[in-house]
Amino acid sequence: EDTPRQLNLAIVGHVDSGKSTLCGRLLHALGRISKKQMHKYDKEAKEKGKGSFAYAWAMDESADERERGITMTVGVAYFNTKNYHVVLLDSPGHKDFVPNMISGTTQSDAAVLVIDASIGSFEAGMGVNGIGQTKEHSQLIRSFGVDNLIVAVNKMDLVEYSKERFNFIKSQLGIFLRSCGYKESAITWVPLSAMANENLMTAASDTRLSSWYDGNCLLKAIDTLPPPHCDVLKPLRLPICDVFSSQMLGQVAICGKVETGAIRSGSKVLIMPSGELATVKIIERDSSRCKLARAGDNIAIGLQGIDPSHVMSGGVVCHPDYPVPVASSLELKILVLDITVPILVGLQFELHIHHAKVSASMVKILSLLEHKSGKASKKIPRFLTARQTAVIEVKLDKEVCVEEFSTLKALGRVFLRSQGNTIAVGIVSRVREQA
Ligand code: GDP
């Protein structure tokens, strides 16, 4: 079974930066959307008065497919490069993009940050007074442990493919990205135009670009990302993204990404937090059956010998001898987003962790971290405001499966939501009490 490595890729960036156009181009060119389909989208989009959004529509249909819950709930689109089977996470292109983006980035191995290079737009993304969306997104994906970043400097056609403009963006944003903790060597900068199809799948053909740029096109940049770190030797952890039933997989089927370890058909697994055992009947990867799946694979499995009521999204499939920790008291390191109402001790919110969602409250602020040094400040505030970073203690209404971020990133990333808004994002710095 020598399938190409899977690479989960998040596409992030400012609204209207061109994420959907860019994704649509890749998918179209690499065969995931047929010409006929594309034609249909074009027509539909024009009828609805959104001509230029043809590609964006293509992405939206994938989102619908996902909602019908066919197989992978997280991956909406796939394409292959020489080295990778690339899964694009979450459909971009919607205004309420941050939460969408986060559910994708918690699963991603790397990200493409799309920048609108046109005059004024890049500047808006960087924020005139305060933090723009570009900055916010870069900070977020970094706080979720995404180490490798491709910066797609899009809409270069609007600035005459200017080398000076590209270098200006590279230096301005570069300073910020390094301050977020990205290593210089882990950032790839690619000037392109998604609309004009310049430097996306093949080297630039417009001489205004090719005269000064001889680096990788976007596809090549994706293909040369370092392979995701996979811990096949650690005990099995498969967070359950969705539970469903299907003809292929039977009454109790689940899907999700194997984060660590491996899973074999016929083997016994432990379903947490219910603590029930089940037998793996069928494993499906890319809609075909396989005997074994390993860390990094997105799969669907059919389970036997378990009551469906004991299997729920937000749970974790484990090796019977090595159950995942379960806890209801956590220490979190969080980054507060641009909120207008401060976060007070006692605040009730929704905690999202891998695919679990649980009511929680902030019990205590343990420390406030200074932005520049990252060190804890002497004084502990009574509340938290926008853009602060703090370590807090939270109490959950019920127990969830959780790992410290340092142990397993995917099970130690959180986001905090209140009244439909994401108020903070962060990581689990300590599991305070285990069941
Ligand atoms: P999203 O919100 O980030 O998904 O952005 P869209 O892909 O929907 O694009 C927003 C707008 O920018 C649309 O009108 C696109 O046609 C346009 N656009 C996208 N890429 C380019 C580009 O490379 N050049 C130009 N001139 N326009 C672009």
Side-chain angles (χ1 to χ4, degrees):
E1 282 180 277
D2 207 20
T3 47
R5 287 290 281 278
Q6 181 168 313
L7 183 85
N8 290 339
L9 195 65
I11 311 286
V12 303
H14 202 295
V15 171
D16 284 345
S17 58
K19 297 176 294 292
S20 308
T21 310
L22 187 146
C23 291
R25 283 269 185 224
L26 286 172
L27 295 172
H28 183 41
L30 300 169
R32 305 307 299 208
I33 302 173
S34 69
K35 277 226 170 69
K36 202 171 138 206
Q37 266 175 309
M38 212 50 231
H39 202 75
K40 182 174 150 254
Y41 293 132
D42 252 328
K43 202 165 146 259
E44 276 178 16
K46 281 203 185 93
E47 276 165 16
K48 301 227 160 95
K50 294 179 80 183
S52 63
F53 281 84
Y55 289 102
W57 278 69
M59 286 298 288
D60 285 349
E61 171 142 322
S62 303
D64 285 339
E65 270 177 24
R66 173 184 57 172
E67 261 152 38
R68 275 184 264 133
I70 302 169
T71 41
M72 265 24 115
T73 317
V74 285
V76 295
Y78 311 83
F79 63 86
N80 290 314
T81 65
K82 210 164 105 246
N83 294 320
Y84 292 122
H85 176 62
V86 180
V87 178
L88 292 180
L89 296 167
D90 272 317
S91 160
H94 299 282
K95 298 294 168 205
D96 181 30
F97 191 52
V98 167
N100 260 341
M101 184 196 88
I102 289 166
S103 59
T105 48
T106 56
Q107 313 239 345
S108 68
D109 302 307
V112 175
L113 173 64
V114 183
I115 304 291
D116 180 343
S118 60
I119 309 293
S121 297
F122 166 70
E123 285 75 6
M126 293 297 283
V128 207
N129 322 298
I131 196 153
Q133 265 191 27
T134 300
K135 279 188 170 175
E136 183 181 335
H137 289 173
S138 343
Q139 222 163 44
L140 290 186
I141 50 185
R142 181 71 195 119
S143 70
F144 281 114
V146 170
D147 301 320
N148 292 289
L149 193 64
I150 294 172
V151 185
V153 182
N154 189 32
K155 306 200 188 181
M156 285 297 289
D157 56 301
L158 295 179
V159 294
E160 307 288 326
Y161 297 97
S162 156
K163 181 182 178 181
E164 287 67 38
R165 181 67 179 163
F166 176 73
N167 283 337
F168 172 75
I169 290 171
K170 190 172 161 179
S171 71
Q172 294 284 301
L173 184 58
I175 294 169
F176 181 75
L177 292 179
R178 280 191 297 279
S179 79
C180 294
Y182 289 98
K183 287 207 190 87
E184 185 138 17
S185 60
I187 311 173
T188 312
W189 302 84
V190 185
L192 53 88
S193 168
M195 182 89 115
N197 211 355
E198 275 296 322
N199 209 24
L200 242 63
M201 269 78 65
T202 51
S205 61
D206 194 304
T207 50
R208 289 173 296 177
L209 182 57
S210 60
S211 61
W212 59 267
Y213 181 80
D214 63 357
N216 285 335
C217 64
L218 179 65
L219 190 61
K220 198 78 192 288
I222 293 171
D223 199 41
T224 47
L225 282 166
H229 182 71
C230 285
D231 260 316
V232 184
L233 298 176
K234 283 190 177 170
L236 171 67
R237 298 282 184 262
L238 165 56
I240 302 171
C241 183
D242 209 357
V243 184
F244 56 99
S245 60
S246 84
Q247 259 181 356
M248 246 307 258
L249 297 167
Q251 274 303 305
V252 191
I254 63 145
C255 63
K257 181 184 168 198
V258 183
E259 294 296 345
T260 54
I263 186 167
R264 192 180 287 279
S265 66
S267 65
K268 279 243 183 311
V269 288
L270 185 68
I271 310 295
M272 294 297 283
S274 66
E276 298 285 318
L277 285 168
T279 304
V280 179
K281 199 175 69 172
I282 303 170
I283 303 178
E284 206 184 85
R285 192 179 53 207
D286 291 340
S287 312
S288 56
R289 283 195 189 196
C290 58
K291 286 216 156 57
L292 176 78
R294 287 164 297 205
D297 290 337
N298 266 322
I299 57 168
I301 59 179
L303 294 170
Q304 231 170 10
I306 189 162
D307 188 304
S309 67
H310 290 134
V311 186
M312 53 208 135
S313 70
V316 177
V317 180
C318 308
H319 185 288
D321 298 339
Y322 303 98
V324 66
V326 170
S328 61
S329 175
L330 304 172
E331 256 176 46
L332 308 176
K333 179 173 138 189
I334 59 163
L335 167 71
V336 181
L337 300 184
D338 270 344
I339 50 168
T340 45
V341 184
I343 301 178
L344 300 167
V345 170
L347 176 85
Q348 297 274 335
F349 57 89
E350 241 174 36
L351 182 83
H352 292 242
I353 176 162
H354 50 96
H355 303 295
K357 185 174 94 178
V358 59
S359 299
S361 62
M362 179 164 86
V363 178
K364 208 172 172 183
I365 299 170
L366 298 170
S367 66
L368 186 71
L369 303 176
E370 279 170 13
H371 268 296
K372 279 206 180 114
S373 62
K375 286 196 181 116
S377 67
K378 293 225 168 63
K379 265 208 187 134
I380 292 172
R382 292 187 4 259
F383 53 82
L384 297 172
T385 57
R387 279 168 266 150
Q388 285 183 325
T389 304
V391 179
I392 64 170
E393 182 185 328
V394 298
K395 180 99 189 73
L396 316 182
D397 281 5
K398 64 180 190 341
E399 289 174 328
V400 292
C401 302
V402 56
E403 296 259 25
E404 289 175 3
F405 184 77
S406 56
T407 308
L408 179 53
K409 287 178 177 182
L411 291 189
R413 294 168 166 137
V414 295
F415 65 104
L416 284 58
R417 301 200 78 199
S418 169
Q419 293 172 331
N421 296 310
T422 304
I423 55 172
V425 299
I427 61 176
V428 177
S429 46
R430 196 154 83 91
V431 176
R432 287 178 61 91
E433 147 214 310
Q434 283 189 24

